[in-house]
Amino acid sequence: MSLVLILLPLLAGAVLFALPATDRTASRAIGCVAAAITFLLPLVSQGDGNVTAHWLSRPFTASLHFAWSGISFWLVLLLALCTFCAILSTNMNRPRVMIALLLMLEGSMMGVFTARDVLAFALFWDLMLIPPFFALVGWGGHRETAWRYLIYNFAGGLLLLLATAAFGVIYGSTDVIGTSHQLLGAWAPWIFAAFAFAFAVKTPVFPLHTWMPATYADSPPPMVSVVSAVQSKAGVYGLLVICLPFLSAAMAQTRWIFIIMGLVSLLYGAYVALVQTDGKRVVAYSSLSHLGLIILGIFSLNPIAIAGVIVYIVAHGLFSAALFLILGYVEQREGTRSLTRLGGLGAHNPKLAGAFTIAALGALGLPGLAGFAGELVILTGVFKAGLFWPALIALIPIVLASAYMLRLLQDIINGPEVADIPQRADLTLTEALALAPLLAALVVVGCYPHALLSTGFSAMPSVAAAPAAVVGERP
Amino acid sequence: MIEFAILAFVLIVSAIFVITASKPIYSVVGLLAHFAALAVMYFSLAAEFLAVIQVIVYSGAILMLFLFVIALLSSGVSPFAEGPNRLPKIAVPALAFVLILLGFCVYAAARAPVAANAGAVSASIAGPVGAANVFGSVGDFGRALFTVYLLPFEITAFILMVAVIGVILLAGDATPYVPTRRRARLVEREMREAVLRAGEE
Amino acid sequence: MSAYGVSHHMGIDGNYPVLFVIWLLPLAGAILNWAFGPQLQRMSAWLGSAVLAVSFIATLAAWGIGTQSSDGALGAHQALFSWFPGFNFGLLLDPLALIWVLIITGVGFLIHLYSIGYMWSDSAIARFFAYMNFFVFAMLTLVLSDNFVGLLVGWGLVGLASYFLIGFWFFKPTAVAAARKAFVINVVGDVGIMFAIFIIFARIGSISFADVFANPHALDPWLFWTCVFLFIGAAAKSAQLPLHTWLPDAMEGPTPVSALIHAATMVTAGVYLVARCAPLWSASHDAQTLVGTVGCLTALAGALLGTAQWDIKRILAYSTMSQIGYMIMGVGVTAYSAGVAHFFTHAFFKACLFLGSGIIIHELSDEQDIRLMGGMRQRAPVAFWAMLSAVLAISGCPPFAGYFSKDRVIYGALEHGYVWMWVVGLITAGITAYYMFRLFFVTFLGTYRGDLDPASVGVDREEHAAHQEPHHAHAPAWLMAVPVGVLGVFSLIGGWIMVTPSSPWAHFFAQSFPRETLPPPAISEAVTTALAIVMLLAGAAVAYARYATAPALADAPERLRRETQTLPAILVHLYYFNELIDVLFVRPARAAGAFFSQWVDPHFVDGAVREVVITNRFLGTLVRSFQTGLLRAYALIVVFGAACFAVYYALAGGAR
Amino acid sequence: MHASLLPAAILDYISLSFVIFAIGVAGVLLRRNPLIMLMSIELMWNAANLLFLAFARAWLNNAGHIFAFLVITVAAAEAAIGLAIVVVVFRSRANVDVDEVALLKG
Amino acid sequence: MNNLFTAQDWNAVAPLFIVGCVALLVLLADLAAPKHANRYVSIGIGIAGLAAGGVYAGMQYYAPAYDAFGGGFINGGFTIVFEEIIIVAAMFSLAMCANIGRADRMAGVTALILWSTSGAMLMAGAANLMTIFLGLELLSLALYCLCGLSDRPAAQESALKYLILSSTASGFLLFGMALLFGASGSVLLSALAAPALAANPLYWIGAGLFLVGLAFKLSLAPFHVWSPDVYEGAPLPITAFMSVVTKAGTLAVFARFAYGAVPHASSSPLLIPFFIVAGISMIVGNLGMLAQTDIKRLLAYSGIAQIGYVVAALAGTSALGVRYAIYYLVAYTFMNLGVFAIAALSSSDNEEGSRIASFQGLAHRRPVLAAVMSLFLLALAGFPPTAGFLGKILILSTNVGTGFAWLAGLLIAGTAISLYAYFKIIRLMYEPHVRPHETVRAAAPLAYVSVAVCAVVVIVMTFYPFTPSNVLPLVK
């Protein structure tokens, strides 16, 4: 069942190449249908679409095992939704190829999120680097951006490979995602280190982030919306489903390193976003900041924080996807993303302004929207885990977030109208439709994160198993 | 013992002469001497057949080939003219180092205690030299070659075929050719251009 | 029943549909106005007001359930949903909430009505009413919530509404800037409450008021800090020092907004929070001192700034700040009912003042500088009488509403042993009387100065031009007159329900707040009242002498100009708070951002990456530099390797 | 004949062949004329042959003889091909200095 | 005397004799065949002969291992797997000849390729020093000629370099063999495993020089210097042939030596230097690729690194290691030959499609071809879903298991370096800007077939990992 999620988009992407190169409507239709199916399938079908096939028996047991249980379920939905919206809003030269790339990206990432086997996970992990690379080659402004994205992430992927091999040899099987067992011994810290590097690069976390702003700024909007919304979550997902259940002892030993890295990312991203003049870079650095919060939450090793992380993963996915799409619309209309050049769009584009406002508010953690629920629960958990100062420091970026997000919002849609930009028409119906589901989900998740939270609590078998020091409840 | 010393001396001197001779033709002469001395030494090692082969094949065939080629090339324009030495400077110390290492190996090997007990003289080889089934004799050699070592022997057939066909293909179908400086320069330029074209991307 | 007179389970559990009516109707109105604004046009104004009317009536209907009580449980409690154990959400209508809801819907309704006229010709009238309704919804969320997180949600949403309404005319750069400032400073407050929530949840494991208030000392040793972080939120929202700077700028919004949000309701959320957390404050004496002090100082500082302003709305803004200082002082020193009482009366007279000034501003087609007014009595009689009533009320003249509540607060401070607060409170009362009458006289008496050259009265044009509201055609006069009149009347009678300690008011809150029996202070309440009236008369007299005597009126322009030039700089520059914040927070943040993005990112972090790449390139060239193409070089390399091998094996093989 | 069929200690043969081998290597490294390089290679191979025969004698195992025989055969073929290649190279350039034969590099 | 060797003995070597004799058949057929068709006649017969040999060998796959000709040649799973790899590679190379090289020489070229193949097949089974040496020389001698068989000066130069350097290396190999013979008193590999030898310096020095010879043939750094030049100079099909067959044959010999001829091998420091040079060549090879402009040269460096990975799998001489080495070797064979086949397809007269620049904009001229090319490059870079990916996993796990983690680390580092070089070609193919259309010769369908086969295998192997179980390189 879950193979459909992987194969359908890939096949659809391949089919598109049969169409004429300039075609837009047909490819859009095909793409949207494929994405929609991948979205509805997990919702309507009973069970978790478990599929498994034997793969390796030596040097360790591995099987092509896929299912969408637990956290995967939400990421699958998020991915399908973002892809749907991205495809719907694809409106550039050579649209057919872009849509095909989006579909391939979806397929490969479906593999990452549904894989129950670390080896399969690693397989799709590398695979999902390729579509964005081609998007950067085809549409990106600078050549080295593509290289930076690819090489940086592939370096991570290689260490993931090494870690996977070591994990398999030590544990005897890689068909483990969804189960839990403390891996101890001299190897564990090294395996964890390798995993952590791969995940940290992908997320990204502070010292390893430099591929990210350039990539986000250069990629075409539909691609970057999916990459930032979902692909950047692959690292976090890995931490949750591989490191937490198997290596939380090692995590506990090194937690302070990551807590500090998370805090630095939080502050660093926020401060840098404060002074960027390229709209996309503002959002890019804000993502760095937000994902820092997620890292902080995970390494607090507290069930509540982890539950919040799940909410925040989805929330960030929704609003960053929406923001990038909107910035794409703006750039397409006005031919620039520079906050210094834009202004006063609100007067003529009320729909754009409205959507933009909701997305930005979601990003700055307005109470009642998804972002807030995530932040609040994460930090509640972090504090409960006894991390007083991290919780306190993590509040500063929230204030900064309101500052830079409002700056982004107001510099573009408020203020007097700017004479020397085209001031083109308001959102078309398609564009509005592409945003609507994201924003609606933002509100719904903001009020009713119950399901996500409960997933989060159930995603934590290992913490219960881990030493008490790990869980660090306040005495 | 003494004859070994003499032979060794001849071998080494002739070898050195081979690699130091100013003209290839002298080297060939040096090599001839070397092979002759080797043949004698083989004989002293109770390998009469090999001694004979050494003389016939090496001195008789291979060296003739060398001579022939030298003669052929000498029809050209200064075939053995040597341009400037292009080896980078680093080569000199490296070369010295390599030779020292090799010297060490010689020393190491010479000091090596050998499991094989030297000069093990068993009665089995007593008897008139040249008689069959005596170690090293033609009969002994032939029996081994056509029984135990049949497979290697068969393979040599292929090897010789390769040599024949290969040489025919390489040098066989060439139109008669008179190298001149002008033509050489043409070829040179054409080749350099080819390289540059490939190199510019 | 805990030791604090607050029941364990606040409110009687049950299903109360009326709560949903009160709560969600404004939201419905907001959504309708937002979605169908273009179609509705002016209809949206009526729709928005009607929604409020219904909501108000529903509130009156809910009076019974709001005040009901059985075995200590007080009011009505409606459970909603739960995120996870300890994170339970619900609605709570008890007397405290009821008062706020009444003001929000009642006064809110009047202001909506007024806005119809005020915004009559604004093309974005539908958006305006959508925002207004949304604000009411948010404010109701705040006061109806039965837990801290729900309160925080409302807290954030009212901030958002205020952001929208301050920046309503988003083509005005000043409005945009003011909106952003207001929002960011309010987020500081939100963050404070968030942290308080962390502490509360970590210590108590629940966020609902009932569980927290059941035993505040479970928070020890964090009780004081919980209060501090909660109060950070309160201070930001209620414009207490040092987080007050956004309030005057907020006057960029349309005048009805100032009346509703920045006078009557939202800015008093801080008061609500402290009153709501009465058990916590009663349990922490340090918190009382802190909050009382801050409130008291804010009252004084606001009043002083009020004396040095010329923009009519800014004067009112500072007076709001000062009055809220009183309230905070009141609730801070645990004179809860007094503080809440002052909120109650203040809602009437301050709304009345704003709306009255709105009429004038309207009349003078958006002139806000009182130096360019004068002689308004003839041109706006309704405003004159209503504002007279309100001015008397705010300066605490019996029997006007303000008199009763303000006395309660000042005397409350004394009762709880804060003599110096009592003193400052009295002084502030005098100052208040002075600047309010100054406003009143300069605006209404004398002759109209609007046609003079602005410079002649000391008006600086550029800075002045910024405060222009867009011109709009006039609406039916009664639309704006009626609400002002009503509010004027309430400014008079609003306080009569709290005349004696055994008044309905006191009785109303009998169960809501911790009961304490205090020793009677040295100075009696009568003395306090007398002194207050003396201060009032003094302040009024000075104002009269400076602005209302015949000679003063005669050369008003000259005097105003001179006063403008001689105002003390520290007041003109608002104690340099803006500059201070700029230097302490804004600039450093910008600098850090610039430093990170222009130096650290490209050179330090990315530099490392680039080094790796460069090294690789270099090594690549190195490797290829061995490929000299020279046969002998290759042979040398091979033999070199071979020799190394040979030596290794010679040594490893034991040949020494 | 009885005196000693192995006129010297095996170690002397080892040393001798090592020396000849080293001389051959030196020839390959030092000379720039492919013909002489080929001759040096022949020297190396013959050193090996000498060793084979010495050990064959020492072990009284005629495998060494066979091996030497095969080496000689291969050497013949190799020399033939080598010389042919030298001729071909010489055809395209007027001389055969290996230092001049450096089109391919990098 | 005549019943000295049984039919079993002949069965063992029959495949390579078939291949060798078909070479003669090709030469004869060339005399008969009409001039215009002789190219295809030779290739056809050649491929048929190879197929015959392959089938014959394959039929014996499941038979238990035994040694033929008194230990001269060991038949068994290991031998046959390598023979098959070699035969397949030879087939692909012949297929590439379909549109490269002079037609009138084709018969000779085919014959030489076949003999060279049989030499490699001999190495696959060789279990005594003589057969090893002869196999190696048969392989090499034919290759010297093949390299020189072109009118391009570069080709002749490459032949000269290859000849001189390779003969020198053979000298080392031979000298090493002589010492091994001296130490053990036997030419059989099996005799070399005698524990007593572990203390014999002659044995050690001999093994050392022997390994030098093998390292040279495998072109492990620093013995790799010849391969870039030779690969670039040689005609494309020959380069393809060399890149697989030489390495496969030599690897078989090394595996046999490492597993069978080293006293208590897994713990002995005797093989360590070999694995060290394997590690070095992972790095050196990948670094060398970085700034290449000629695909053959690039693949030479790539091959240096890739064979480094394969050898790394043998580190610790674990039973699984050899299986994964074979897996990766097969993977390497197909992805590498795939690239060569496409290069051959897009080749034109003036440049044999070997200039990387000639791939620019290929995606617009021939999208499918470009896609497949990308697949092969991805595989070489170790990207999923290709055999290159799984192969790396297997090797890494072996190294972790046998405690050679440092090799795993080098493998990771090397792969990271290589990425840029491979993706540069991909980027070039998909670059929007298209350069003027090349004069691409109408390619034979044969070439397309081989590309397709490679592509399919490279993907299928990922999900059906082929790791034969009876491939322990026995010596007795």
Short mmCIF file of all heavy atoms in Angstrom, two decimals, chain B residues 46-82:
data_model
loop_
_atom_site.label_atom_id
_atom_site.label_comp_id
_atom_site.label_asym_id
_atom_site.label_seq_id
_atom_site.Cartn_x
_atom_site.Cartn_y
_atom_site.Cartn_z
N ALA B 46 73.79 -27.14 -12.86
CA ALA B 46 73.23 -28.41 -13.31
C ALA B 46 71.96 -28.19 -14.10
O ALA B 46 70.98 -28.89 -13.93
CB ALA B 46 72.96 -29.32 -12.12
N ALA B 47 71.93 -27.10 -14.90
CA ALA B 47 70.77 -26.88 -15.76
C ALA B 47 71.26 -26.77 -17.19
O ALA B 47 71.23 -25.70 -17.79
CB ALA B 47 70.03 -25.61 -15.34
N GLU B 48 71.77 -27.89 -17.68
CA GLU B 48 72.39 -27.81 -19.01
C GLU B 48 71.41 -27.34 -20.04
O GLU B 48 71.66 -26.41 -20.83
CB GLU B 48 72.91 -29.19 -19.43
CG GLU B 48 73.78 -29.89 -18.44
CD GLU B 48 73.00 -30.93 -17.65
OE1 GLU B 48 71.83 -31.15 -17.98
OE2 GLU B 48 73.57 -31.49 -16.70
N PHE B 49 70.19 -27.88 -19.99
CA PHE B 49 69.22 -27.53 -21.02
C PHE B 49 68.95 -26.03 -21.02
O PHE B 49 68.97 -25.38 -22.05
CB PHE B 49 67.92 -28.30 -20.78
CG PHE B 49 66.91 -28.06 -21.86
CD1 PHE B 49 67.13 -28.53 -23.15
CD2 PHE B 49 65.75 -27.36 -21.61
CE1 PHE B 49 66.20 -28.30 -24.13
CE2 PHE B 49 64.83 -27.12 -22.59
CZ PHE B 49 65.05 -27.59 -23.87
N LEU B 50 68.77 -25.50 -19.83
CA LEU B 50 68.51 -24.06 -19.75
C LEU B 50 69.70 -23.28 -20.27
O LEU B 50 69.57 -22.27 -20.95
CB LEU B 50 68.22 -23.68 -18.30
CG LEU B 50 66.75 -23.60 -17.91
CD1 LEU B 50 66.08 -22.46 -18.69
CD2 LEU B 50 66.03 -24.89 -18.27
N ALA B 51 70.90 -23.78 -19.97
CA ALA B 51 72.09 -23.09 -20.45
C ALA B 51 72.04 -23.01 -21.97
O ALA B 51 72.22 -21.95 -22.59
CB ALA B 51 73.33 -23.84 -20.00
N VAL B 52 71.69 -24.13 -22.57
CA VAL B 52 71.64 -24.16 -24.05
C VAL B 52 70.57 -23.19 -24.54
O VAL B 52 70.81 -22.32 -25.39
CB VAL B 52 71.33 -25.59 -24.51
CG1 VAL B 52 71.17 -25.62 -26.02
CG2 VAL B 52 72.44 -26.53 -24.05
N ILE B 53 69.37 -23.32 -23.94
CA ILE B 53 68.27 -22.42 -24.35
C ILE B 53 68.72 -20.98 -24.23
O ILE B 53 68.52 -20.16 -25.13
CB ILE B 53 67.05 -22.67 -23.45
CG1 ILE B 53 66.48 -24.07 -23.65
CG2 ILE B 53 65.98 -21.62 -23.71
CD1 ILE B 53 65.81 -24.25 -24.97
N GLN B 54 69.37 -20.68 -23.12
CA GLN B 54 69.80 -19.30 -22.89
C GLN B 54 70.63 -18.82 -24.07
O GLN B 54 70.37 -17.74 -24.61
CB GLN B 54 70.64 -19.25 -21.60
CG GLN B 54 71.21 -17.90 -21.27
CD GLN B 54 70.17 -16.98 -20.65
OE1 GLN B 54 69.06 -17.41 -20.35
NE2 GLN B 54 70.52 -15.71 -20.54
N VAL B 55 71.57 -19.66 -24.46
CA VAL B 55 72.44 -19.24 -25.57
C VAL B 55 71.61 -19.10 -26.85
O VAL B 55 71.60 -18.06 -27.50
CB VAL B 55 73.58 -20.27 -25.78
CG1 VAL B 55 74.38 -19.93 -27.02
CG2 VAL B 55 74.47 -20.29 -24.55
N ILE B 56 70.80 -20.14 -27.12
CA ILE B 56 70.10 -20.13 -28.42
C ILE B 56 69.08 -19.01 -28.47
O ILE B 56 69.14 -18.13 -29.34
CB ILE B 56 69.40 -21.49 -28.66
CG1 ILE B 56 70.45 -22.60 -28.74
CG2 ILE B 56 68.57 -21.44 -29.92
CD1 ILE B 56 69.87 -23.98 -28.84
N VAL B 57 68.17 -19.02 -27.47
CA VAL B 57 67.06 -18.08 -27.57
C VAL B 57 67.53 -16.65 -27.32
O VAL B 57 67.38 -15.77 -28.16
CB VAL B 57 65.95 -18.46 -26.58
CG1 VAL B 57 64.84 -17.44 -26.61
CG2 VAL B 57 65.42 -19.83 -26.91
N TYR B 58 68.16 -16.46 -26.19
CA TYR B 58 68.54 -15.08 -25.87
C TYR B 58 69.58 -14.55 -26.83
O TYR B 58 69.33 -13.66 -27.62
CB TYR B 58 69.05 -15.01 -24.43
CG TYR B 58 68.01 -14.48 -23.47
CD1 TYR B 58 67.53 -15.23 -22.42
CD2 TYR B 58 67.51 -13.19 -23.66
CE1 TYR B 58 66.58 -14.74 -21.56
CE2 TYR B 58 66.54 -12.71 -22.81
CZ TYR B 58 66.08 -13.47 -21.76
OH TYR B 58 65.13 -12.98 -20.92
N SER B 59 70.72 -15.19 -26.75
CA SER B 59 71.80 -14.63 -27.59
C SER B 59 71.46 -14.77 -29.05
O SER B 59 71.66 -13.86 -29.86
CB SER B 59 73.10 -15.38 -27.29
OG SER B 59 73.19 -15.59 -25.90
N GLY B 60 70.83 -15.88 -29.40
CA GLY B 60 70.60 -16.15 -30.82
C GLY B 60 69.44 -15.38 -31.38
O GLY B 60 69.52 -14.80 -32.46
N ALA B 61 68.36 -15.31 -30.65
CA ALA B 61 67.15 -14.72 -31.23
C ALA B 61 66.94 -13.29 -30.77
O ALA B 61 66.95 -12.35 -31.55
CB ALA B 61 65.94 -15.58 -30.85
N ILE B 62 66.83 -13.15 -29.46
CA ILE B 62 66.40 -11.84 -28.96
C ILE B 62 67.41 -10.77 -29.30
O ILE B 62 67.09 -9.71 -29.83
CB ILE B 62 66.18 -11.94 -27.43
CG1 ILE B 62 65.09 -12.99 -27.14
CG2 ILE B 62 65.81 -10.61 -26.86
CD1 ILE B 62 64.79 -13.19 -25.70
N LEU B 63 68.68 -11.08 -29.06
CA LEU B 63 69.68 -10.05 -29.34
C LEU B 63 69.72 -9.72 -30.80
O LEU B 63 69.93 -8.57 -31.20
CB LEU B 63 71.04 -10.51 -28.84
CG LEU B 63 71.19 -10.47 -27.31
CD1 LEU B 63 72.59 -10.85 -26.91
CD2 LEU B 63 70.85 -9.09 -26.81
N MET B 64 69.47 -10.73 -31.63
CA MET B 64 69.43 -10.44 -33.07
C MET B 64 68.32 -9.43 -33.37
O MET B 64 68.48 -8.49 -34.13
CB MET B 64 69.18 -11.73 -33.86
CG MET B 64 70.37 -12.67 -33.86
SD MET B 64 71.90 -11.80 -34.24
CE MET B 64 72.72 -11.87 -32.67
N LEU B 65 67.18 -9.65 -32.72
CA LEU B 65 66.08 -8.70 -32.91
C LEU B 65 66.54 -7.28 -32.57
O LEU B 65 66.36 -6.34 -33.33
CB LEU B 65 64.92 -9.08 -32.00
CG LEU B 65 63.82 -9.96 -32.58
CD1 LEU B 65 62.79 -10.28 -31.52
CD2 LEU B 65 63.17 -9.26 -33.74
N PHE B 66 67.20 -7.19 -31.41
CA PHE B 66 67.66 -5.86 -31.01
C PHE B 66 68.55 -5.26 -32.09
O PHE B 66 68.35 -4.13 -32.54
CB PHE B 66 68.42 -5.95 -29.68
CG PHE B 66 67.52 -5.89 -28.47
CD1 PHE B 66 67.03 -7.03 -27.88
CD2 PHE B 66 67.16 -4.66 -27.96
CE1 PHE B 66 66.21 -6.96 -26.78
CE2 PHE B 66 66.32 -4.59 -26.85
CZ PHE B 66 65.84 -5.73 -26.26
N LEU B 67 69.51 -6.05 -32.50
CA LEU B 67 70.43 -5.55 -33.53
C LEU B 67 69.66 -5.08 -34.75
O LEU B 67 69.85 -4.00 -35.29
CB LEU B 67 71.42 -6.66 -33.91
CG LEU B 67 72.51 -6.93 -32.89
CD1 LEU B 67 73.36 -8.11 -33.31
CD2 LEU B 67 73.37 -5.69 -32.73
N PHE B 68 68.70 -5.91 -35.16
CA PHE B 68 67.93 -5.60 -36.36
C PHE B 68 67.22 -4.26 -36.21
O PHE B 68 67.30 -3.39 -37.07
CB PHE B 68 66.93 -6.73 -36.61
CG PHE B 68 66.13 -6.53 -37.86
CD1 PHE B 68 66.72 -6.75 -39.10
CD2 PHE B 68 64.82 -6.11 -37.81
CE1 PHE B 68 65.98 -6.55 -40.25
CE2 PHE B 68 64.09 -5.91 -38.95
CZ PHE B 68 64.67 -6.13 -40.18
N VAL B 69 66.57 -4.09 -35.08
CA VAL B 69 65.83 -2.84 -34.87
C VAL B 69 66.79 -1.66 -34.87
O VAL B 69 66.53 -0.63 -35.48
CB VAL B 69 65.03 -2.92 -33.56
CG1 VAL B 69 64.47 -1.56 -33.20
CG2 VAL B 69 63.93 -3.94 -33.69
N ILE B 70 67.90 -1.84 -34.17
CA ILE B 70 68.88 -0.74 -34.15
C ILE B 70 69.26 -0.37 -35.57
O ILE B 70 69.24 0.79 -35.98
CB ILE B 70 70.12 -1.13 -33.33
CG1 ILE B 70 69.74 -1.26 -31.86
CG2 ILE B 70 71.22 -0.12 -33.52
CD1 ILE B 70 70.80 -1.90 -31.02
N ALA B 71 69.51 -1.39 -36.34
CA ALA B 71 69.89 -1.13 -37.74
C ALA B 71 68.77 -0.40 -38.45
O ALA B 71 68.98 0.61 -39.13
CB ALA B 71 70.17 -2.46 -38.42
N LEU B 72 67.55 -0.86 -38.23
CA LEU B 72 66.40 -0.26 -38.91
C LEU B 72 66.28 1.22 -38.54
O LEU B 72 66.19 2.10 -39.40
CB LEU B 72 65.12 -0.99 -38.49
CG LEU B 72 63.81 -0.43 -39.04
CD1 LEU B 72 63.72 -0.76 -40.51
CD2 LEU B 72 62.62 -1.00 -38.30
N LEU B 73 66.35 1.47 -37.26
CA LEU B 73 66.15 2.85 -36.82
C LEU B 73 67.28 3.74 -37.29
O LEU B 73 67.10 4.90 -37.61
CB LEU B 73 66.05 2.92 -35.30
CG LEU B 73 64.88 2.15 -34.66
CD1 LEU B 73 64.72 2.56 -33.21
CD2 LEU B 73 63.60 2.39 -35.41
N SER B 74 68.48 3.17 -37.38
CA SER B 74 69.63 4.01 -37.72
C SER B 74 69.49 4.62 -39.10
O SER B 74 70.17 5.57 -39.44
CB SER B 74 70.91 3.17 -37.65
OG SER B 74 70.99 2.61 -36.37
N SER B 75 68.55 4.09 -39.89
CA SER B 75 68.33 4.70 -41.22
C SER B 75 67.68 6.07 -41.06
O SER B 75 67.63 6.84 -42.00
CB SER B 75 67.42 3.79 -42.04
OG SER B 75 66.14 3.83 -41.46
N GLY B 76 67.14 6.36 -39.87
CA GLY B 76 66.44 7.63 -39.68
C GLY B 76 67.40 8.76 -39.39
O GLY B 76 68.61 8.60 -39.45
N VAL B 77 66.83 9.89 -39.03
CA VAL B 77 67.64 11.06 -38.73
C VAL B 77 67.99 11.03 -37.24
O VAL B 77 67.11 11.12 -36.40
CB VAL B 77 66.87 12.35 -39.05
CG1 VAL B 77 67.77 13.54 -38.86
CG2 VAL B 77 66.33 12.27 -40.47
N SER B 78 69.22 10.85 -36.93
CA SER B 78 69.72 10.84 -35.54
C SER B 78 68.71 10.16 -34.62
O SER B 78 68.08 10.82 -33.79
CB SER B 78 69.94 12.28 -35.06
OG SER B 78 68.68 12.94 -35.03
N PRO B 79 68.51 8.88 -34.78
CA PRO B 79 67.47 8.18 -34.01
C PRO B 79 67.68 8.26 -32.51
O PRO B 79 66.73 8.35 -31.75
CB PRO B 79 67.60 6.74 -34.49
CG PRO B 79 69.00 6.63 -34.96
CD PRO B 79 69.35 7.95 -35.54
N PHE B 80 68.91 8.29 -32.11
CA PHE B 80 69.16 8.21 -30.67
C PHE B 80 69.58 9.54 -30.08
O PHE B 80 70.10 9.61 -28.98
CB PHE B 80 70.21 7.13 -30.38
CG PHE B 80 69.81 5.81 -30.99
CD1 PHE B 80 70.60 5.19 -31.94
CD2 PHE B 80 68.59 5.25 -30.66
CE1 PHE B 80 70.21 4.00 -32.50
CE2 PHE B 80 68.20 4.06 -31.23
CZ PHE B 80 69.00 3.43 -32.16
N ALA B 81 69.31 10.63 -30.86
CA ALA B 81 69.60 11.95 -30.32
C ALA B 81 68.75 12.17 -29.08
O ALA B 81 67.55 11.87 -29.07
CB ALA B 81 69.28 13.01 -31.37
N GLU B 82 69.35 12.65 -28.01
CA GLU B 82 68.57 12.87 -26.78
C GLU B 82 68.39 14.35 -26.54
O GLU B 82 69.34 15.13 -26.59
CB GLU B 82 69.31 12.21 -25.61
CG GLU B 82 69.36 10.71 -25.74
CD GLU B 82 69.77 10.02 -24.45
OE1 GLU B 82 70.26 10.71 -23.55
OE2 GLU B 82 69.55 8.80 -24.36
#
